[in-house]
Amino acid sequence: MTSTPVDLNPAEATRVVAGVLAPLVAQGAIVRRPRATAWAERHQTDRAARAVLTGLRARHDGAPLVLRLGPRRMVVVTEPGHVRRLLEESPEPFTPASKEKVGALRHFQPDGVLISSTADRRYRRPFNETALRTELPVHDDGAAFTDAVRHGAAELARRLRGSGGLDAATFTDVWWGIVLQVVLGAGARADRELVDLLDALRRDANWSWFHPRDERRRTELASRIESYLAAPEPGTLAAAAHAAGAATAPGQVPHWLFAFDAAGAATLRALAVVSARPEVRARLLAEVAAPGPGTALLPYARACVLESLRLWPTTLVVLRDSTAPTVWGERTLPAGTGFAVVSAFFHRDPARLGHADAFVPEAWLDGRNADDWGLVPFSGGPVSCPGRNVVLLVTSHLLAHLAAHDLRVARGRYLAEDPLPATMDHLGLRFGLGEGAADRT
């Protein structure tokens, strides 16, 4: 492996743009476009992208790959050691506030920590860690959060009994109810106007700098959020945020909502695999049925969600920009150079992972996935996701509740055995009830 970045020739650069970056942009970095995600599954675009990057990694002996996108210099890394450096040396000299990310997220969370300057991060990051209780496996208000999950799971059960099936739209509607209750309280659970505002702004954000900001909608979104923060319900992230710093809270809540949307996609994909594999479902049910200390963690259910995130990453590309000239191998890259970690490439790299295309939750429990810097379901290093444990608590409990139902996924024949498809359109998932379906939640 060489650490010195190499410039791709025009043909190679075209392959990366057309085979790797363009499909990711087409699907939507901030909110997925249904037609594009369906197209991506039909064409298994992640498999094609992996083939492109695997070939270039071999041709250039593992060197970072440099291509020009107009005036923009982008470096696509190909080795876990490169990922480790980018993440460990964030936010300086590798800031997560990349040009593309700032252009996108400014539409609905201009004050979010993810696109903050280094100076603003010094108080916004600690605020997030305090409110989200980053250091705790289970948040102080974890019982209230799992109550919200139980309420949502009961609603899904009612809809299942009524229609005999479940689709992504129904799941997503109930999921937002759970998220709004966790973040803002039971009084917000039915506030789909807030969700619609956020979705509209996120659709604009897909276009990054190429779309003007909708200040009217952004102001309305901020106003609705602040109405819940003014008198936050106990047992919510809003209350934790108010205690951590009321003045900082409004700017951070939009990102929490945004992040939970991706968590819903991961849960839905995990549910599809669980529904296709009776042995996985049986282990989930056994975990829930075995009360005792620490069972609120649901380690196996968490591992199933993590495995869903590994196989089908919700963060399609981890981006960094250099804030100063950077020595990398025998080259010095100028300040403002962009760096890209294509997660689907690293998460399914057979050169490192014997279970690259298999569903193996146990690898998150037995140490096989530990300390692998190529696995970045929640990023890593000093700017890793501060809400990791909150997300895993909510998603794992919902997955466990839904496993109580004998669901059959429409495309189960593709998910029952390994290797699993490289690209899965979660928006196209459909579930039906099996003969042994349970009514319990």
Side-chain angles (χ1 to χ4, degrees):
M1 180 184 77
T2 178
S3 61
T4 301
V6 298
D7 292 308
L8 298 181
N9 64 42
E12 292 172 328
T14 298
R15 288 177 63 199
V16 172
V17 171
V20 180
L21 301 181
L24 302 182
V25 173
Q27 291 176 68
I30 307 301
V31 62
R32 298 295 184 263
R33 300 180 175 103
R35 290 182 180 178
T37 57
W39 173 87
E41 182 183 84
R42 287 195 302 272
H43 294 274
Q44 289 295 297
T45 56
D46 290 310
R47 180 184 296 129
R50 185 171 68 184
V52 170
L53 293 179
T54 299
L56 290 173
R57 178 177 63 184
R59 179 179 301 176
H60 295 290
D61 195 24
L65 310 172
V66 184
L67 64 154
R68 300 301 295 248
L69 302 172
R72 181 85 159 132
R73 177 185 284 106
M74 183 67 69
V75 180
V76 179
V77 299
T78 61
E79 295 287 350
H82 306 155
V83 181
R84 179 174 186 173
R85 180 180 178 185
L86 288 173
L87 299 185
E88 284 191 333
E89 297 180 23
S90 297
E92 293 286 348
F94 301 113
T95 177
S98 71
K99 183 176 181 181
E100 295 80 9
K101 203 180 300 178
V102 170
L105 298 186
R106 71 192 180 99
H107 285 276
F108 64 97
Q109 51 160 309
D111 299 319
V113 66
L114 200 58
I115 57 172
S116 294
S117 66
T118 301
D120 287 338
R121 287 186 65 86
R122 291 193 179 101
Y123 69 90
R124 288 176 180 167
R125 175 72 189 198
F127 164 86
N128 276 273
E129 292 180 348
T130 299
L132 297 168
R133 305 293 193 267
T134 301
E135 77 284 1
L136 299 179
V138 177
H139 194 282
D140 295 335
D141 294 313
F145 299 165
T146 55
D147 280 344
V149 172
R150 277 192 289 272
H151 184 281
E155 174 61 23
L156 280 171
R158 284 190 291 272
R159 298 195 189 192
L160 272 168
R161 288 193 296 267
S163 66
L166 174 68
D167 61 14
T170 300
F171 174 90
T172 300
D173 182 57
V174 175
W175 172 251
W176 272 119
I178 295 171
V179 171
L180 291 171
Q181 182 170 347
V182 167
V183 178
L184 299 174
R189 192 163 51 215
D191 192 349
R192 294 304 184 272
E193 290 185 28
L194 189 155
V195 175
D196 290 343
L197 280 169
L198 182 62
D199 279 351
L201 291 168
R202 290 169 60 211
R203 286 194 293 271
D204 292 348
N206 273 344
W207 298 97
S208 190
W209 297 101
F210 297 101
H211 196 290
R213 286 197 293 183
D214 188 333
E215 296 296 346
R216 181 189 63 80
R217 278 198 173 108
R218 191 168 69 84
T219 299
E220 188 176 350
L221 175 66
S223 177
R224 294 187 79 91
I225 289 173
E226 288 174 9
S227 71
Y228 294 107
L229 294 175
E233 291 185 27
T236 63
L237 288 179
H242 192 273
T248 305
Q252 310 310 305
V253 170
H255 183 71
W256 300 349
L257 297 172
F258 164 52
F260 266 117
D261 184 36
T267 307
L268 196 53
R269 289 178 175 129
L271 179 63
V273 179
V274 169
S275 300
R277 302 190 178 200
E279 71 281 4
V280 176
R281 176 174 178 255
R283 184 163 175 181
L284 278 173
L285 294 178
E287 181 172 71
V288 174
T295 53
L297 284 173
L298 300 181
Y300 185 72
R302 284 189 175 214
C304 286
V305 175
L306 283 166
E307 190 68 343
S308 171
L309 287 166
R310 180 187 69 82
L311 289 161
W312 302 287
T314 54
T315 300
L316 305 178
V317 185
V318 177
L319 297 173
R320 294 290 185 269
D321 274 5
S322 60
T323 59
T326 305
V327 176
W328 200 302
E330 298 178 5
R331 288 185 67 169
T332 299
L333 299 168
T337 297
F339 294 83
V341 178
V342 180
S343 49
F345 167 68
F346 283 99
H347 284 198
R348 292 215 190 190
D349 183 4
R352 299 180 357 266
L353 303 170
H355 55 285
D357 293 310
F359 188 79
V360 186
E362 294 81 4
W364 295 99
L365 302 173
D366 61 19
R368 273 178 286 172
N369 289 348
D371 303 321
D372 187 329
W373 284 90
L375 301 180
V376 288
F378 289 93
S379 189
V383 301
S384 62
C385 176
R388 172 189 172 111
N389 286 328
V390 171
V391 165
L392 288 175
L393 177 69
V394 173
T395 55
S396 62
H397 275 259
L398 182 58
L399 182 64
H401 279 291
L402 295 178
H405 304 280
D406 184 21
L407 295 175
R408 297 289 185 267
V409 64
R411 60 189 70 172
R413 64 185 182 277
Y414 300 113
L415 302 176
E417 297 180 355
D418 302 324
L420 284 162
T423 306
M424 186 201 293
D425 171 25
H426 67 284
L427 298 174
L429 289 172
R430 300 288 187 276
F431 301 83
L433 284 170
E435 294 181 359
D439 286 338
R440 56 197 169 92
T441 61

